[in-house]
Amino acid sequence: MAGLGEVEGKSQSEPPNSSNEINHAVQVADGVFFHQGDIDHQGHCNNGWVVFKDYVLVIDANFPSGAQNILPKIRAITPKPIRFAFDTHHHADHAYGNQVMVDNGATPIAHTGVLEEMKRYETGYYGGKPGRWEDTAKTRPDVAASRLKPPSVLFPRELYFDDGEHRVELIHLGIAHTHGDAVAWLPKERILFTGDTCVNGPYNFVGDGDIEKWIGTLDAAKALNAQAICPGHGPRGPASVVEDQQAFFRQLREQVGALVQARKSAREIRAAVPHIGEELKARPQINRYVSDGLAAQAEKVYQEMTGQSFPDASQTAQAARHLHRHAHALQSV
Ligand SMILES: [Zn+2]
């Protein structure tokens, strides 16, 4: 499809309540676009892009196939060069498309924590044993056909793009989904692109983050007073999406914390996970966040509270890893 026919000009005041925007570029404000990735079939993250006077800033590089998916959609909207690709964090589905972005003229940009995380996990790239990239390449042809490209423009806290018309503030609000998350904040339009600091659906992977600190970081996100949220996964929505995401983690911590307080054993708490799931599912504000990853999320909370893992931790970790692979569709596409 060519031209603006691909773009659905829906106003940000009418947030979708279904998945009917998947794989469509939606204009959420003048020159500001949101693209909901197909996580279930392709593992793709959501993207955004902002058309400045002289260039385009893309939010998240996605997987290589996700980058290939959105580039023609951006080109159908504007002839301006795609000059920057902002990685909200280091994960495959947000940063592995960096090389595709570079091949198309864009420079990857990220918070310094993204590079630190890559040095920790992408051991293959940095001369050590095979790391996450090599592991992911085994099951994703798009990754196998590309290569890791760490961001080369880095900011320790904030970086602003401002041409008088548009202003985008890239901000590290704190530790959340990883130790290197940053958001893209558009103060004029009051739109927040959150990366995976906030998702809208059963997509929370907590293995690389810190749930207690995450809750505080979501307070910082709330303080921006956004009126529209473009999450890392799931449909866009109103400001309450950030509150819902935070409420999910708060209530998960309350549930696990009550059992810790009651001096239940790790084994007992693990056995209580299905019950915790029922408790959380009974709450309309947060039930959409309850996923098969709940055991791993509960274990993460337990680890943060006690410093200990669930028994047979390797089994739980293996299951979480399997779920993560599934959640991010790391199998072939
Ligand atoms: Zn993600």
Side-chain angles (χ1 to χ4, degrees):
M1 216 179 290
L4 289 167
E6 185 87 5
V7 179
E8 294 169 14
K10 288 180 188 164
S11 124
Q12 57 183 275
S13 60
E14 37 175 304
N17 53 16
S18 68
S19 55
N20 58 3
E21 288 187 351
I22 291 173
N23 263 330
H24 291 283
V26 177
Q27 182 162 318
V28 290
D30 188 31
V32 182
F33 295 82
F34 173 68
H35 184 277
Q36 188 182 339
D38 184 351
I39 185 171
D40 291 331
H41 302 102
Q42 297 174 295
H44 292 165
C45 73
N46 295 343
N47 285 99
W49 57 90
V50 180
V51 182
F52 286 80
K53 286 179 189 167
D54 305 322
Y55 59 87
V56 178
L57 164 69
V58 181
I59 297 160
D60 270 325
N62 214 316
F63 271 121
S65 64
Q68 301 282 11
N69 181 33
I70 59 161
L71 285 168
K73 298 181 186 183
I74 300 171
R75 294 219 166 95
I77 289 166
T78 176
K80 291 172 188 171
I82 301 162
R83 196 157 282 163
F84 304 103
F86 160 52
D87 298 335
T88 58
H89 58 290
H90 72 279
H91 283 159
D93 54 328
H94 298 259
Y96 279 10
N98 279 352
Q99 184 61 48
V100 173
M101 291 294 178
V102 168
D103 293 343
N104 285 273
T107 300
I109 294 179
H111 167 55
T112 45
V114 171
L115 193 61
E116 286 160 22
E117 298 274 72
M118 280 191 181
K119 286 178 179 168
R120 183 180 314 164
Y121 299 115
E122 301 294 358
T123 43
Y125 179 87
Y126 291 100
K129 62 180 196 295
R132 288 186 177 180
W133 177 282
E134 292 74 19
D135 196 34
T136 309
K138 287 178 197 159
T139 52
R140 283 199 64 116
D142 64 331
V143 173
S146 189
R147 59 188 184 277
L148 183 69
K149 186 74 178 176
S152 59
V153 175
L154 301 158
F155 58 94
R157 278 190 56 79
E158 303 187 358
L159 179 68
Y160 301 156
F161 294 79
D162 193 335
D163 67 358
E165 265 177 27
H166 282 109
R167 181 175 172 92
V168 177
E169 302 181 357
L170 308 183
I171 311 171
H172 171 63
L173 295 173
I175 290 169
H177 172 66
T178 69
H179 288 72
D181 300 281
V183 301
W185 168 233
L186 281 64
K188 287 184 182 173
E189 299 87 352
R190 310 205 75 75
I191 297 170
L192 183 63
F193 288 87
T194 62
D196 288 1
T197 295
C198 176
V199 299
N200 193 5
Y203 309 116
N204 285 133
F205 171 70
V206 300
D208 295 335
D210 183 302
I211 293 174
E212 186 178 17
K213 290 180 178 148
W214 196 333
I215 290 169
T217 297
L218 287 163
D219 271 332
K222 279 158 66 177
L224 293 169
N225 195 22
Q227 62 175 13
I229 303 299
C230 295
H233 297 282
R236 67 198 169 97
S240 58
V241 175
V242 174
E243 287 165 27
D244 298 349
Q245 172 68 87
Q246 189 184 44
F248 171 69
F249 285 137
R250 279 215 169 112
Q251 289 178 24
L252 175 65
R253 279 181 61 86
E254 257 174 45
Q255 294 282 333
V256 175
L259 298 172
V260 171
Q261 289 267 306
R263 299 184 182 274
K264 300 288 181 195
S265 71
R267 192 173 295 277
E268 286 170 318
I269 296 176
R270 190 184 62 179
V273 166
H275 172 72
I276 293 173
E278 291 311 312
E279 291 283 319
L280 299 179
K281 271 189 218 156
R283 299 169 198 224
Q285 185 189 10
I286 59 167
N287 59 6
R288 69 189 186 281
Y289 289 94
V290 181
S291 71
D292 293 346
L294 188 65
Q297 292 163 350
E299 180 176 32
K300 180 78 171 169
V301 169
Y302 184 73
Q303 285 168 340
E304 290 173 15
M305 287 179 173
T306 68
Q308 285 162 25
S309 299
F310 283 173
D312 311 319
S314 61
Q315 267 179 35
T316 314
Q318 204 176 15
R321 186 170 160 67
H322 175 77
L323 286 162
H324 181 220
R325 290 174 72 88
H326 179 71
H328 286 77
L330 298 183
Q331 69 273 24
S332 306
V333 290

